[in-house]
Every structure is written in C-alpha cells, then in structure tokens.
Amino acid sequence: MVKALKACWVSNMNIEQIRNDFPTLHQEVFGHPLVYLDNAATTQKPQCVIDTVRHYYEKDNSNIHRGVHSLSERATKDYEAARETIRDFFNAKSAKEVIFTRGTTESINLVASSWGGANIGKDDEILITHMEHHSNIVPWQMLCERVGAKLKVIPMNEAGELDLAAYVELLNERTKLVGIVHMSNALGTINPIADMIKQAHQVGAKVLVDGAQAAAHIPTDIQALDIDFYATSAHKMYGPTGVGVLIAKEELLDAMPPYQGGGDMILMVTFEKTQYNALPHKFEAGTPNIAGVIGFGAAITYIQNIGFDAIMQREKELLNYATKKAQAFEGLKQIGTAKDKACVLSFVLDGVHPHDLGTILDREGVAIRAGHHCAMPVMQFYKVPATARASFSIYNTEAEVDALFDALTKARDMFA
Amino acid sequence: MFSLGDLYKEVIIDHTKAPRNFGKLEPCSHDAEGFNPLCGDQLHVYLQINDDNIIENVKFEGQGCSISTASASLMTQVLKGKSVDEFNALFGAFHDMATADMDAQPDEETLGKLAVLAGVKEFPSRIKCATLCWHTVKSAIEDAGQPARTE
Ligand SMILES: Cc1ncc(COP(=O)(O)O)c(C=O)c1O
C-alpha cells in the first residue's frame, strides 16, 4: 500500500511522465496510436491505482470491520484511511459525513429515497437544472410520483448557461431541494454553485451537487460552499468503477432513515427491533467495494500530487486549442459554449451523424462518445438527436487534438 | 482487418444522402415507432397492407445515423409488393446476416440488394442501427402497440 502510493508522486506537470503513469494509453487501435478522448465517460487509471487494488487482493484480501485477524485489520485500516483522504480532498467536516456508495447514481438515489422520502411531501417543489444527467432527474421524478411533489426546471440559454434570474424566480418557500450539476457532462458548463447554494439556503432549501464530472477538474470545498449533499464517482477521477461517495452534513445524515438494511449498518439486532450503527456505517449496509474504495483513495492522492493549479491550467490550454480548431472547422457546430466551461467539446457536424463519426474516428484510433450522454433534455433543447463529444484529461496532448481533427476531416470527406 | 469501406459502401452513402420512400404514408393500415436508446435513433414506419396480406406501400421517417437511414431506405424498396410471409422470411435472413460469424457469407439469394449491409457484423456497436427498421416493421405488422426497441 505505502509503496504503491509513493508511485503517485508526480514532481510537476510533465505530460510524458503523466502519460507513462497510464498503461492503457500505450496501445494501438486499428493500427493507430490510441487517442483517448472519452474522459467524461470514464478516465483511464494510473498504475498506482491499479497497483493499490492489486495489493489489496494479493496481500490484504479480507472483510472489514469484523475480523480480528491481521488481514482484516490491515484492510479496515486502508479502507478507513481512504475515507480520510477523501474527506480531506473535499474538505468535509468529518469522516462520519463520508459515505461510500456504488457511485453518483447510487448516492443521489440514497438522498432521494431516504432524505427525500422523509422530508418532501405533497406540493413541495424540487428544482433541478435543464442540464442534469439522468441520474439527477429520474430519482427525483420517482420521488415526486410517490409523494405528490413537483419537479421544476431551471432553464438555460443557447450557450448552455443557466438562467440565474429565472432560478431566483423559481425559488420559494415550497422549494425543498435544489439539484445542480457542478459541471455538465454534455456541455462542459461549470455552474456557479456558490451563489446558487446561498440563494437556495435563503428559502430554506437543501442543495445536492452532482460532482461526477467536476471532481477531477475543479477543486470543491464542501464546507466553504456549504453543500448539503455532494455526490461523485471514483471512475471519472482516475479511480476504479462501481465506487463513489455521498458526502452530506452530519445533522442531515443523523436524522435520515437508513437506505438499505443489512450487515455493518447495525449495532444490535433482535427480531423485535434493530438499533442502527453510527455514521457513516449506518448507510453502508453489506460488504462494500473494499478494493474499489482503497483504489479511490489512491486516485485522490494521485490528483493531489499533481495539484489543481497544474491540472486546471493544462486542461484550459487543451480546451482552448481544441475550441480554436473547432471554430475553424467547416460545418462543425459546437453544442455548449458557456463562458465558464471545462474539458468538453460537444458538437455536431453537417451531413455526418454523430454515431457514424464515432465509428469512423474509432478506425483512426480516436475514441470519442456519440449519443445523448444521458442528458436527453439537453439534446431536446438543442433539437439534435445526439452529439459527438470529445472530452479531455490531464494526459491528453495537442497532437491528440490534431489527430481528432484529422479524423473528422476524413469523416466529412467520406460523406461529402 | 476490416476496413471502413466494408461498412460505408457507396450504396449506403447514397441512401443516407437521399433516402428513398422517406416521409409519411397517409392513409396507412399499420405504423409503429422504433427507438435505439444507445444513439438516439428514432424511426417511424408506415405500411399499407391489403386484404391479401401484401405490402402495397411502405414509407419511413425519422432521425438516425447513416446505417439506420440507409437500412430503412433499402428495406422500403425491397418490401414493396412483398407478402407478410415474405417479410418474415426476410426479417430472419437479415437478422442472421447482421449477427453472423465474421466469415459467414450472406444469403444473397434471399436478401438481394440488402446484402450490401453485411458489413455491419464487423461493427458490433452498429448492428442495432441496421436492424432497428426491421424490428419496427415487425412491431407495426404485429400491432404490438409498443414502440420497437433494439434493446
Ligand atoms: C454529470 C454526471 N452525473 C452523474 C453521472 C453518473 O455517474 P455514475 O454512472 O458513476 O453513477 C455521470 C456519469 O456519466 C455524470 O457525467
């Protein structure tokens, strides 16, 4: 563990060195060097994360919080150390507020079901933005259907920026929850969550921030922002799939009923009554993704060692470079041109459907996403069935952006 | 290795740019909608089937990628004048072609010009684009009342 983590140290933003940390990047696809531009779907994993997961299975594999033997003690220590790493990274107040889940989707469902079920009733209002991922729409729709609450939508403009005046108009004393995506996976827009949270709190609403897309690209200080519920996934921040976190204020979690019942979340069970365990265990029923959580911790350490100053500067350069090329590319229309955006170039190309672009680019070794990006209301807003999306990460290069546009030229010529 | 040219044959590009039998058919005896949730393809097919179970006319409209558009366009050309039984046979043959082993030869005798789409089997994520229109016609004929899905 310690040895694997040491490998996470990166002295500075040396792209070659960073690329060398990611084994998947070094392969050919159809005879071309892989150009991986689907980072918004999931990022690649650095060797230190792979090694950390492997170390757990090779040396420490055992269940946590229950064994008294050495392996279980080591695994429990690493699992809880990851919780502290993540607490520190997001500046949560206490490790009790850090609950491991399967990912953003499960974190949001947990809040909708447990907190929502207890606190949202008939004619109450839930406010979400027009650019939410389906995972921050559907759980609320399900809740509304169950309790008779109303789902309202904060509109956006053609650039893909939220209409903040309309937001303030929509807020009222019936608003119980505001759900905001920190950074849109379909558009790249970074939303002004600091002001939006203050405004929501003024009417007594709680705020859930979907950090799935933002967490690897922009620093998030949960206490400074006064976020009530924060959800994110490890796999979009260089960590394993199927693991994520819900971070929520202790007083909210304390008052919430458990989400799932089972092992680990109890203190005392009789057939008459069960006493629930203390936070965070109350919300972690069953054997969790232990290797995943420990790997998540390693991924966070990897990000911390590079540092957000370097990450943001690098990703801004890349996005600017790609955006200039996109503006000069005939027939290309960008979808999402917010002033404040990161890492995502979503677009449509005249005469070539995004799905065909995806296939044609793949044959050139360029991996992009084509589709609705689990944000169908965004597609409806722009009246397109789908977009093509290139999304960037710290390990991408200008040469890869060039490869993207060379491949796009080929695709355009095929359908010319 | 399979090349892009195996998929994007000239005929397919031609049907993409100028889809045949595109538009609404009014009146029609059968119609259905089809969705491919993976890529957002949406298709609506309209059929006029007479009392002898012959497909007198068929048209389609919707939004989709090159493969789904060309497949629907070719399908409408082939289906005109065929019986519902013949449709079922073609449905089976087309499905087999799209999901066959790499080295299998398409049944060109049954499929005729539809065999031009045989290349999709080399592109697993695109097979559903080619079969969507066939599933949609099937659900129109069977009057399933539910939109067709490729999932
Ligand atoms: C903005 C946003 N929210 C939520 C999710 C869902 O994350 P997960 O599938 O890891 O639960 C994603 C992932 O695509 C996302 O981009």
Side-chain angles (χ1 to χ4, degrees), chain A residues 30-31 351 353 355-357 359-360 363-364 370-372 376 383-386 414-416, chain B residues 1-2 4 7-8 13 16-17 37 39-41 63-67 122-123 125-126 129:
Chain A
F30 297 111
H353 190 279
H355 210 190
D356 295 307
L357 277 180
T359 295
I360 296 165
R363 295 281 151 153
E364 300 292 317
H372 52 63
M376 280 185 169
K383 300 191 174 56
V384 293
M414 264 179 80
F415 282 86
Chain B
M1 196 176 76
F2 302 105
L4 273 179
L7 183 62
Y8 294 105
I13 306 266
T16 304
K17 288 195 199 161
C39 46
D41 286 352
Q63 293 176 313
C65 65
S66 159
I67 303 305
E122 299 153 16
F123 297 79
S125 60
R126 307 305 301 276
C129 309

Side-chain angles (χ1 to χ4, degrees), chain A residues 237-377:
Chain A
M237 38 195 320
Y238 316 110
T241 58
V243 61
V245 71
L246 168 68
I247 303 177
K249 287 180 180 161
E250 189 174 341
E251 67 266 25
L252 293 170
L253 290 169
D254 260 334
M256 279 157 62
Y259 176 52
Q260 294 180 327
D264 244 22
M265 56 78 72
I266 53 89
L267 278 183
M268 176 69 189
V269 177
T270 66
F271 283 120
E272 286 67 44
K273 187 167 171 55
T274 291
Q275 243 182 307
Y276 304 127
N277 203 343
L279 290 174
H281 309 294
K282 173 175 149 188
F283 290 101
E284 290 181 5
T287 302
N289 183 350
I290 303 169
V293 164
I294 298 172
F296 189 5
I300 297 272
T301 304
Y302 185 80
I303 293 175
Q304 284 174 320
N305 288 334
I306 298 175
F308 273 117
D309 289 344
I311 290 172
M312 292 202 297
Q313 192 195 330
R314 173 67 198 146
E315 292 180 344
K316 185 142 217 96
E317 284 166 10
L318 263 181
L319 182 67
N320 287 345
Y321 184 76
T323 304
K324 281 216 183 75
K325 290 210 140 195
Q327 284 163 345
F329 198 88
E330 208 189 307
L332 184 150
K333 180 181 174 222
Q334 283 192 72
I335 303 289
T337 48
K339 265 188 230 81
D340 203 2
K341 69 176 273 193
C343 293
V344 170
L345 186 74
S346 210
F347 60 93
V348 289
L349 194 58
D350 278 349
V352 194
H353 190 279
H355 210 190
D356 295 307
L357 277 180
T359 295
I360 296 165
L361 265 55
D362 180 48
R363 295 281 151 153
E364 300 292 317
V366 180
I368 61 157
R369 172 88 185 262
H372 52 63
H373 317 295
C374 297
M376 280 185 169

Side-chain angles (χ1 to χ4, degrees), chain B residues 6 8 72 74 107 109 128:
Chain B
D6 293 339
Y8 294 105
L74 284 158
D107 177 0
E109 211 179 292
K128 288 172 174 176

Side-chain angles (χ1 to χ4, degrees), chain A residues 40-42 101-109 131-136 181-186 210-214 231-236 240-244 369 373-374 389:
Chain A
T42 198
T101 63
R102 284 197 299 126
T104 307
T105 303
E106 189 178 50
S107 299
I108 298 172
N109 276 279
M131 63 180 89
E132 295 307 310
H133 186 277
H134 295 162
S135 64
N136 206 19
V181 65
H182 194 176
M183 171 181 160
S184 159
N185 64 311
D210 170 355
Q213 206 52 243
T232 198
S233 300
H235 71 96
K236 295 192 202 271
T241 58
V243 61
R369 172 88 185 262
H373 317 295
C374 297
R389 179 188 69 189

Side-chain angles (χ1 to χ4, degrees), chain A residues 87 92-99 115 222-223 226-229 246-256 278-280 282-283:
Chain A
R87 183 210 63 75
K93 200 164 172 190
S94 139
K96 286 192 222 166
E97 301 184 330
V98 177
I99 291 156
W115 182 84
I222 285 181
Q223 286 186 79
D226 201 17
I227 296 174
D228 300 295
F229 299 104
L246 168 68
I247 303 177
K249 287 180 180 161
E250 189 174 341
E251 67 266 25
L252 293 170
L253 290 169
D254 260 334
M256 279 157 62
L279 290 174
K282 173 175 149 188
F283 290 101

Side-chain angles (χ1 to χ4, degrees), chain A residues 185-196:
Chain A
N185 64 311
L187 302 167
T189 309
I190 298 169
N191 286 315
I193 58 169
D195 288 342
M196 292 178 75

